[in-house]
Amino acid sequence: MGNQSNSSYESNQQNDLDVVIRNGREILFQAFNWESHKHDWWRNLERKVPDIAKSGFTSAWLPPASHSFSPEGYLPQNLYSLNSSYGSEHLLKTLLQKMKQYRVRAMADIVINHRVGTSQGHGGMYNRYDGIPLAWDEHAVTSCTGGLGNRSTGDNFHGVPNIDHSQQFVRKDIIAWLQWLRNSVGFQDFRFDFARGYSAKYVKEYIEGAMPIFSVGEYWDSCNYNGHGLDYNQDSHRQQIINWIDGTGQRSTAFDFTTKGILQEAVKGQFWRLRDPQGKPPGLMGWWSSRAVTFIDNHDTGSTQAHWPFPSNHIMEGYTYILTHPGIPTVFYDHFYDWGDSMHDQIVKLIDVRKRQDINSRSPISILEAQPNLYSAIIGEKVCMKIGDGSWCPAGREWTLATCGHRYAVWQK
């Protein structure tokens, strides 16, 4: 970090980082679910790279590639070992090579809030990392999770030693590891797991140190609920995510959990939720669309964990909303590859419209209807859409139907 070198390589990487967020034309693919580790995953994905590229995705988020105590990858131990339950280091590198060939960026899942120890230290806890690279002692572990470090700068992830990012030696080692992933292994983008667990200022330092092309953080907190269900107003929820993005020096985007929470209630006949009192979209997307990564479900909310699933009979309405709207949309593996060819093809048609009509993360939006059973909007100059079972179509003969399906339609000029 203290290196003042102004090499053209560094400034070019910095430009890449700024260009992608400024450009706003990313379409992300979450390339795994909670069960993927059982299915020879790197090999499976390698076969799908041509289709992922042809469908229009710019970046594919891969599951955690490092050695982990749990097969899913979220209890890492030896960060420098790329032999995981998803496949060998060799198979991973073959996959990354193919993605590079097809110009789909590879997004690494960065799990650095916590780390499983290898040996017992202070208090008899497994809070030392002897015998593996990054051989930290108890000072690398927060005092609130059994270490000799400082208190955590965020929320605790229970049951495992949480990493103390306030320690300079820890940050130096993490930056070196991220640089290795970025410059040697072949990952270009980062997704920061459990971003509530440590201060956003460290994420800023890690991004500036390793220069990923694109970053997104998982800042997931509960939406606001009352006795009758979800509150109409989720401003405090989206403000928390905005504060986190600001803390990263605006270097990172964040998953729009606010939009997910509202949208999955709205599709049940409460589309009035999709317009806030100012007439804007009610999620993070409505306040800072260039940093809002929208999604319907992921490996935690959906898949076999199903902690907070989107209603399964409304998935296409959800995708119609996020793929026509500002923000940076993400498509989930299950919906694209496991729910049948029809859904795959319907999603591809929506992506086609987005790209052809040049909708981007900052496209202006005008919400026309937000009734219980109908939502409609015009996005940019040349796209309009409706979801819900209320009937609606745009006025004017210049609009032609671009794509439609059960309870959704999209028009273009």
Side-chain angles (χ1 to χ4, degrees):
M1 284 299 293
N3 181 354
Q4 291 303 303
S5 147
N6 279 327
S7 71
S8 62
Y9 173 69
E10 280 187 18
S11 59
N12 283 347
Q13 284 209 310
Q14 183 59 61
N15 291 344
D16 283 350
L17 189 151
D18 295 339
V19 160
V20 161
I21 284 187
R22 217 167 39 234
N23 183 23
R25 284 166 179 79
E26 302 305 299
I27 301 174
L28 311 182
F29 181 60
Q30 178 175 356
F32 67 100
N33 60 35
W34 196 244
E35 303 296 321
S36 297
H37 62 91
K38 299 173 180 169
H39 302 287
D40 195 10
W41 204 245
W42 300 145
R43 220 182 239 121
N44 169 50
L45 284 183
E46 198 217 331
R47 290 191 290 267
K48 291 187 160 60
V49 169
D51 184 64
I52 292 168
K54 186 176 90 207
S55 301
F57 296 107
T58 54
S59 178
W61 160 24
L62 304 186
S66 292
H67 162 263
S68 164
F69 215 67
S70 58
E72 299 85 11
Y74 291 96
L75 294 176
Q77 191 173 59
N78 185 350
L79 292 174
Y80 275 101
S81 167
L82 294 176
N83 295 307
S84 71
S85 55
Y86 296 103
S88 66
E89 175 174 359
H90 173 72
L91 288 171
L92 171 64
K93 292 207 165 148
T94 307
L95 167 62
L96 294 178
Q97 196 53 47
K98 187 142 185 190
M99 290 175 70
K100 191 176 176 186
Q101 183 191 336
Y102 279 87
R103 297 209 166 108
V104 178
R105 297 197 312 275
M107 180 183 290
D109 203 328
I110 306 299
V111 187
I112 49 173
N113 172 74
H114 48 270
R115 185 183 177 201
V116 175
T118 60
S119 50
Q120 287 171 296
H122 171 74
M125 311 275 284
Y126 277 85
N127 52 16
R128 294 181 59 89
Y129 303 93
D130 301 306
I132 56 173
L134 308 189
W136 299 334
D137 66 8
E138 301 94 321
H139 292 91
V141 175
T142 60
S143 58
C144 22
T145 58
L148 292 172
N150 296 313
R151 286 194 63 77
S152 176
T153 54
D155 295 339
N156 286 332
F157 187 91
H158 297 291
V160 242
N162 284 221
I163 294 172
D164 180 7
H165 294 263
S166 73
Q167 305 286 353
Q168 165 116 54
F169 75 92
V170 166
R171 297 202 303 280
K172 183 169 160 282
D173 282 350
I174 287 176
I175 289 169
W177 176 67
L178 293 172
Q179 288 172 335
W180 174 72
L181 288 177
R182 174 80 180 88
N183 302 322
S184 302
V185 180
F187 285 103
Q188 293 161 291
D189 297 352
F190 292 161
R191 176 257 184 191
F192 289 93
D193 178 66
F194 198 70
R196 281 170 50 197
Y198 51 100
S199 170
K201 70 183 179 186
Y202 301 128
V203 174
K204 175 179 193 281
E205 195 174 324
Y206 298 148
I207 291 172
E208 289 171 353
M211 292 295 185
I213 290 177
F214 180 86
S215 293
V216 56
E218 181 206 25
Y219 194 95
W220 181 14
D221 207 352
S222 292
C223 284
N224 305 318
Y225 290 88
N226 57 52
H228 310 288
L230 186 74
D231 284 349
Y232 166 62
N233 185 321
Q234 296 291 331
D235 287 357
S236 65
H237 188 265
R238 53 178 167 173
Q239 187 61 50
Q240 275 188 304
I241 304 177
I242 282 178
N243 295 346
W244 182 84
I245 298 168
D246 270 332
T248 73
Q250 310 185 4
R251 291 273 190 234
S252 184
T253 64
F255 286 110
D256 190 349
F257 282 94
T258 321
T259 289
K260 175 185 164 51
I262 296 168
L263 184 58
Q264 66 189 25
E265 295 305 315
V267 294
K268 300 173 187 170
Q270 303 174 16
F271 285 108
W272 47 267
R273 292 181 177 276
L274 293 182
R275 177 161 53 192
D276 77 5
Q278 284 68 49
K280 290 179 151 60
L284 175 61
M285 175 211 292
W287 276 357
W288 203 355
S289 60
S290 69
R291 299 296 188 283
V293 175
T294 51
F295 70 103
I296 299 301
D297 260 330
N298 63 29
H299 60 293
D300 289 323
T301 65
S303 188
T304 52
Q305 293 201 90
H307 289 315
W308 199 39
F310 203 92
S312 58
N313 52 337
H314 295 278
I315 297 291
M316 283 312 303
E317 288 161 274
Y319 279 119
T320 301
Y321 182 84
I322 69 170
L323 286 167
T324 59
H325 276 49
I328 300 160
T330 310
V331 174
F332 183 38
Y333 183 93
D334 294 25
H335 302 145
F336 204 61
Y337 285 122
D338 290 346
W339 288 38
D341 290 346
S342 166
M343 186 171 286
H344 173 284
D345 296 347
Q346 289 178 75
I347 291 170
V348 168
K349 280 185 182 158
L350 289 169
I351 294 173
D352 280 346
V353 174
R354 183 178 188 86
K355 290 174 90 87
R356 200 166 55 240
Q357 302 299 349
D358 202 31
I359 296 172
N360 63 68
S361 67
R362 293 181 183 79
S363 290
I365 171 171
S366 170
I367 297 171
L368 304 173
E369 299 285 349
Q371 312 289 343
N373 67 340
L374 170 70
Y375 171 86
S376 68
I378 294 184
I379 306 92
E381 307 287 307
K382 299 198 278 191
V383 174
C384 81
M385 55 75 77
K386 60 85 52 167
I387 48 178
D389 52 22
S391 67
W392 184 89
C393 66
R397 298 182 58 179
E398 67 275 25
W399 292 105
T400 59
L401 191 64
T403 184
C404 63
H406 187 48
R407 290 195 287 251
Y408 76 87
V410 181
W411 294 263
Q412 60 192 9
K413 276 187 182 175

